[in-house]
Amino acid sequence: MPDPTSPARRWGRFTAWAGLFGLCSVAFVVWMAVTLGGTTVTTAVDDIGEAVAAGIAAVSCGFAAIRTQGKLRRAWTLLAASSASWFLGQAFWSVYEVGLGRTVPSPSVADIGFLVAIPLALAGILSFATSARGTSIGLRLWLDRAIVLMSLLFLAWELGLGDILTVPGAPLSARLVGAAYPVGDILIATVLLLAIRRATDEQKGRLLLLLGGLAANALADSAFAYLSLTGTTKVVLDAGWVVGYLMIALAALWPSGVRDTTSEEQPIDIWQLVLPWLPILAGGLTAIVLAVHRQSMDAFATSLAGLVIGLLMASQVIAHRESLRLLIQSRLSAETLNAVIEHAPLGVVRIATDMTIIDANPSFYSIVGSVPGTLIGGTVARFLPEGEIRPAVERLNALLDEATESADMETEGTRADGTTIWLHWTATAVWNKSGEVDYFLVMFEDVSERRSTEDALKAAYAELEDLVGRRTAELRSANEKLNAAVITDPLTGLYNRRHLSDFIERELSRTRRAGHKIVFALIDLDHFKRVNDTFGHEAGDAVLCALSTFLRNHIRQEDLAFRYGGEEFLLVMPSAGLDGVAKRIEQIRELVTLVKVVHGTDPIWPLTLSIGVAIYPDHGDTADAVIGNADEALYRAKQAGRNQVVYHEAEVLVPVEGLKTPRF
């Protein structure tokens, strides 16, 4: 669905309203010209049509005030009030002339509504946000206002304002009221002309519509005032009010933002510069016409003309002084800029689009170690290594696209003595009036020291990173050794009872979830005390180490061996099938007798083992319970003569081909 707030939709609505108001204006002018339906009907249409047009302007300006903000809201509010005041005056006029069928006296209550509309319209126009936008300011601005005002007053005086004030037999009050309309219109036109001169692009359209509308109103005001005092009528001139207020209503419908753009960087347009001086031209032409027809100007008109000439001379003198001041400032600015570039610590170079050097400041020659003036006319290749030329040219050529405003790069450079330096470029394109790139403005900075520092920092960082890596590996190795020392027995290298405590509960939990079993085999080295007594403790330690090595070599990867205490060892053997575990335990008991341990020159007798076995969860629901039952089985194995495997709750141990098979 199209967006109703889109510019295309808003301009479409504005065009539709403009067409409708234009048709209504043409229809009204035609009706007044041919007096369709007779004088009485035409008078009614005239009075009511004027009121309706003013009412439409009041409503349109009111809606514009609602949908805008800031000064713009105040401006539309005042214009709505002005249109509403004029509507009330015309409504009274219509009731008096159409409803009662009587001639409206002059002055009357209607004149209050008409005259109040003038200062309200003046305040509304002044409320539109304006900006200097290249026009005169200060004293010259007030001179411009006075010149336009005097010119319009001269023009109005010669075109009938003087006749209004000097109509024979007319009451003074009627003449003053009649003159108030064109005088008010002159003030409004003066402010509006200067507002258009200072208007931004966003304001120009609606201000031109306001100018046209108020000009049409002014024409109707002046004509009506003069014809009323002379006792004549010409209803077709009343169309000025209808056309004028419909144009004001259309100005309120102009598609623009809810808040004015109060300033613009663009210079003033030529037509905006010329527009306020059109009254001066019109006044001059009027004076020429009077001279051609040999009609003399009265004292007031002559005074106005002289005043306009004097103000013009003063304005030109001030303008000349301002221009001279600006010229001096411009030259000083140019000299200051040249001095800044000349003494800038950075190298500043102008480079043509064909990559030839147009100009360079002393700092650049110092950077590349050349004599000033020697690089002019040469190419950038004179101070760049071969491998850096193409990337630099590509970056500069990218500025030919208007979308790219500037370019930064760092390249190696070559000094006049052949040494290498690092250059940082900052480049921008300077465009001429034809829309083409005139030259590239490039600033150069010698960053060799920074690059050297960066390279040194990178090397130091790499060395530090390597050192940290080595220290981390050493720390990790030390931590691993420390962890191993904490959980292993220092003599045998097997896991100790502390690790058993940390490990066993997790293993039991995993076994419960999987529905498997764990075999606990508690091993005691037979007659170990006799070894210590016969051969000494060193021999005993050697036996323990030999048995530890044997156990590690004869258990599965998933089995764990612990030194449980003294000459006792514990095997934890997770298994789903118990027959294979029983065979492995028996093989351990049998094969350990083949282990040879020699202390000095004395061999130690063959090792034998007594083993007690318990199974989790069959023989206990905790590790302590199962190990306790394995210990009880070990005790029975030792009581039964040692060198055998006994299972918890086994009633008979039957030797089968050297294997004592348990009964569960």
Side-chain angles (χ1 to χ4, degrees), residues 241-424:
W241 286 307
V242 173
V243 173
Y245 276 110
L246 288 181
M247 289 183 73
I248 293 173
L250 199 59
L253 296 173
W254 184 267
S256 61
V258 297
R259 186 183 295 275
D260 265 342
T261 302
T262 58
S263 63
E264 278 186 347
E265 298 290 338
Q266 300 177 3
I268 187 171
D269 294 332
I270 296 299
W271 70 268
Q272 287 178 283
L273 184 64
V274 173
L275 186 61
W277 303 110
L278 291 180
I280 301 175
L281 177 62
L285 293 175
T286 301
I288 293 173
V289 170
L290 291 175
V292 170
H293 290 82
R294 297 186 178 182
Q295 297 180 12
S296 61
M297 296 185 295
D298 58 23
F300 184 74
T302 303
S303 299
L304 287 175
L307 184 59
V308 168
I309 294 172
L311 292 174
L312 277 172
M313 291 178 63
S315 177
Q316 290 305 307
V317 170
I318 295 175
H320 175 73
R321 291 183 61 185
E322 289 182 354
S323 299
L324 184 59
R325 178 177 56 83
L326 291 175
L327 178 60
I328 294 173
Q329 288 181 349
S330 176
R331 289 179 177 177
L332 289 175
S333 298
E335 292 176 0
T336 302
L337 180 60
N338 288 334
V340 168
I341 294 175
E342 189 77 10
H343 298 91
L346 299 180
V348 181
V349 183
R350 290 193 300 147
I351 300 176
T353 54
D354 61 356
M355 300 303 146
T356 58
I357 298 174
I358 302 173
D359 197 7
N361 70 343
S363 294
F364 179 73
Y365 284 102
S366 176
I367 290 173
V368 297
S370 297
V371 177
T374 57
L375 297 178
I376 305 303
T379 67
V380 295
R382 293 183 62 176
F383 57 87
L384 290 178
E386 185 176 352
E388 299 284 4
I389 297 175
R390 183 173 179 180
V393 171
E394 289 178 351
R395 294 297 300 275
L396 288 177
N397 284 333
L399 296 173
L400 298 175
D401 181 5
E402 294 186 19
T404 304
E405 296 183 356
S406 61
D408 283 273
M409 55 186 146
E410 283 192 6
T411 64
E412 281 188 297
T414 303
R415 292 173 57 88
D417 59 5
T419 57
T420 299
I421 58 173
W422 277 96
L423 296 173
H424 180 266

Side-chain angles (χ1 to χ4, degrees), residues 69 73 133 161 194 242 254 300 317 345 429 445 451-452 501 612 629:
Q69 302 173 8
R73 171 173 290 181
R133 206 185 174 205
L161 178 59
L194 293 172
V242 173
W254 184 267
F300 184 74
V317 170
E445 181 182 5
R451 290 293 296 246
S452 177
S501 300
N629 289 327

Side-chain angles (χ1 to χ4, degrees), residues 494 523 546-555 561 569 571 588:
L494 299 180
I523 301 172
L547 177 59
S548 299
T549 302
F550 170 80
L551 291 177
R552 274 197 298 268
N553 294 334
H554 288 81
I555 60 175
F569 297 84
L571 297 181
I588 288 172

Side-chain angles (χ1 to χ4, degrees), residues 644-658:
Q644 56 187 287
V645 180
V646 174
Y647 288 81
H648 178 64
E649 297 182 349
E651 296 180 359
V652 180
L653 295 177
V654 181
V656 179
E657 298 179 357

Side-chain angles (χ1 to χ4, degrees), residues 66-222:
I66 292 173
R67 67 173 184 266
T68 53
Q69 302 173 8
K71 290 185 177 181
L72 204 55
R73 171 173 290 181
R74 183 175 64 190
W76 289 123
T77 300
L78 289 168
L79 287 176
S82 174
S83 301
S85 177
W86 204 95
F87 166 79
L88 293 174
Q90 185 60 31
F92 175 83
W93 186 285
S94 300
V95 170
Y96 208 92
E97 188 173 56
V98 178
L100 301 178
R102 298 171 59 183
T103 301
V104 182
S106 180
S108 67
V109 176
D111 290 312
I112 298 175
F114 297 148
L115 292 175
V116 169
I118 293 174
L120 289 173
L122 187 63
I125 295 169
L126 288 172
S127 296
F128 279 111
T130 57
S131 59
R133 206 185 174 205
T135 60
S136 56
I137 57 176
L139 180 59
R140 276 200 64 204
L141 177 60
W142 287 101
L143 286 174
D144 289 347
R145 290 170 178 170
I147 290 170
V148 173
L149 177 62
M150 294 298 103
S151 300
L152 288 173
L153 185 58
F154 173 83
L155 188 62
W157 184 268
E158 291 299 327
L159 294 180
L161 178 59
D163 295 335
I164 293 175
L165 291 173
T166 59
V167 172
L172 179 61
S173 60
R175 283 182 288 165
L176 292 176
V177 170
Y181 291 107
V183 171
D185 293 330
I186 288 172
L187 292 173
I188 292 174
T190 300
V191 173
L192 193 54
L193 282 170
L194 293 172
I196 291 175
R197 183 179 183 179
R198 299 163 62 83
T200 61
D201 288 341
E202 185 182 26
Q203 298 170 331
K204 286 188 295 190
R206 64 165 175 260
L207 288 179
L208 285 173
L209 284 172
L210 287 175
L211 176 62
L214 293 173
N217 287 351
L219 177 63
D221 283 341
S222 299

